[in-house]
């Protein structure tokens, strides 16, 4: 029976660190978001960040403090702090008259990040092949298969992002290198606005490439996992190049 992916019910990932006597349980929210920030500014940042990543605040949208405060039902001070953080992290940029707007990463920047991701994520996949629990691989595999079986009009961008993030960030986390995992997560966030919105034809090939990566991990094939991950990210890069060539 297929596992139905739910946005409200999170699947638990079980990661087995090599040499450990016990298994460490982590849920996808921990992988995707880290420790939840309880301050109002932190909550405002998280909400605005998710709205940007899910396309609810598209690139070029003006980020007006008063309107956002009303939409989030909080005062303007935490919104101001959240906007400052978004600008500092490169997700927002000053435009005409000093107004803040959602930043669209340039194609050049996107390509540079993909090159770095290929290096980091292929390395993390090689290490994860010896550490990621079979139970976690089973969960991730089922999630990808469930997406493939969904009718196109039934899939949401949030579902696609959550499965994609769980797989890539979960593999990075299983490398047992916290710095590498954080770098991978940060770089992926900076490129998400391109993703399937720009290359929808990548959905099915991308899912099959994910399954190939997971199969190498299941086989404990470190070199194969490295090559599969590198090929996957290179295919993403090539798809963008092909799309630009036809514009």
């Amino acid at each position: 029976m297929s596992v139905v992916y739910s946005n409200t019910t999170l699947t638990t990932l079980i990661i087995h660190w090599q040499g450990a006597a016990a298994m460490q349980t982590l849920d996808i929210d921990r992988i995707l978001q880290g420790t939840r920030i309880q301050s109002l500014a932190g909550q405002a940042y998280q909400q605005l960040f998710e709205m940007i990543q899910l396309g609810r605040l598209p690139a070029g949208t003006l980020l007006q403090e008063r309107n956002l405060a009303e939409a989030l039902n909080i005062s303007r001070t935490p919104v101001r702090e959240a906007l400052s953080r978004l600008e500092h992290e490169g997700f927002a940029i000053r435009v005409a008259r000093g107004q803040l707007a959602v930043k669209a990463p340039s194609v050049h920047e996107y390509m540079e990040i993909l090159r770095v991701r290929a290096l980091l994520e292929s390395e993390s996949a090689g290490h994860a092949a010896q550490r990621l629990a079979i139970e976690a691989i089973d969960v991730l595999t089922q999630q990808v298969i469930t997406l493939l079986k969904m009718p196109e009009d039934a899939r949401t961008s949030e579902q696609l992002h959550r499965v994609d993030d769980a797989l890539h960030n979960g593999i990075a986390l299983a490398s047992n290198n916290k710095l590498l995992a954080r770098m991978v997560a940060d770089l992926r966030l900076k490129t998400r606005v391109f993703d399937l919105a720009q290359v929808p034809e990548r959905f099915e090939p991308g899912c099959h490439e994910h399954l190939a990566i997971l199969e190498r991990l299941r086989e404990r094939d470190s070199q194969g996992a490295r090559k599969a991950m590198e090929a996957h990210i290179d295919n993403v890069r090539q798809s963008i190049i092909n799309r630009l060539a036809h514009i």
Side-chain angles (χ1 to χ4, degrees):
M1 178 182 296
S2 296
V3 177
V4 178
Y5 186 82
S6 167
N7 292 329
T8 56
T9 303
L10 297 176
T11 304
T12 296
L13 288 180
I14 304 173
I15 295 178
H16 183 218
W17 303 113
Q18 188 178 26
M23 301 191 78
Q24 180 178 4
T25 301
L26 300 167
D27 66 37
I28 292 177
D29 264 356
R30 290 287 300 280
I31 292 174
L32 303 187
Q33 300 175 5
T35 304
R36 181 170 297 179
I37 302 172
Q38 296 300 326
S39 70
L40 280 177
Q43 291 176 29
Y45 169 85
Q46 191 62 47
Q47 288 179 275
L48 293 173
F49 181 78
E50 289 178 359
M51 291 168 72
I52 291 172
Q53 297 304 310
L54 294 175
R56 295 169 186 160
L57 289 174
T61 301
L62 292 179
L63 299 171
Q64 298 176 321
E65 189 178 295
R66 177 180 297 175
N67 293 343
L68 292 172
E70 291 176 357
L72 299 179
N73 195 30
I74 57 177
S75 68
R76 294 174 63 173
T77 299
V79 170
R80 186 179 306 121
E81 293 180 26
L83 292 178
S84 177
R85 181 176 170 188
L86 287 170
E87 181 181 13
H88 176 73
E89 293 180 354
F91 296 108
I93 189 172
R94 295 288 170 180
V95 292
R97 300 178 182 177
Q99 292 179 298
L100 203 60
V102 177
K103 180 185 176 183
S106 68
V107 174
H108 177 71
E109 179 184 5
Y110 182 73
M111 293 300 184
E112 285 186 334
I113 292 175
L114 284 180
R115 290 191 186 97
V116 176
R117 278 186 53 195
L119 293 171
L120 295 179
E121 295 198 51
S122 59
E123 182 68 14
S124 67
H127 289 291
Q130 304 304 319
R131 293 181 170 90
L132 191 62
I134 295 299
E135 291 89 341
I137 296 171
D138 288 342
V139 167
L140 292 169
T141 298
Q142 188 57 60
Q143 298 291 5
V144 175
I145 292 173
T146 299
L147 280 181
L148 274 170
K149 291 180 177 179
M150 278 186 181
E152 184 176 353
D153 58 0
R155 297 192 301 260
T156 67
S157 59
E158 185 174 358
Q159 288 173 318
L160 299 178
H161 286 148
R162 288 181 71 78
V163 173
D164 194 56
D165 283 346
L167 186 144
H168 283 272
N169 291 342
I171 289 173
L173 187 62
S175 70
N176 204 20
N177 184 318
K178 292 181 180 180
L179 177 59
L180 187 154
R182 174 50 57 192
M183 291 174 68
V184 167
D186 288 346
L187 289 173
R188 283 177 49 74
L189 290 174
K190 290 182 182 297
T191 58
R192 178 174 285 176
V193 292
F194 275 88
D195 289 354
L196 290 173
Q198 299 294 327
V199 282
E201 67 274 12
R202 277 289 304 160
F203 169 71
E204 189 168 337
C207 284
H208 288 294
E209 290 161 15
H210 281 166
L211 292 175
I213 293 168
L214 290 166
E215 189 57 31
R216 300 292 83 77
L217 294 173
R218 186 186 305 279
E219 295 170 352
R220 301 306 188 198
D221 180 359
S222 294
Q223 187 60 25
R226 286 189 178 93
K227 290 181 178 179
M229 181 65 80
E230 186 175 5
H232 170 56
I233 297 177
D234 189 59
N235 287 340
V236 174
R237 180 174 174 274
Q238 190 59 50
S239 67
I240 296 293
I241 293 174
N242 294 342
R243 173 57 65 94
L244 293 174
H246 290 88
I247 293 179

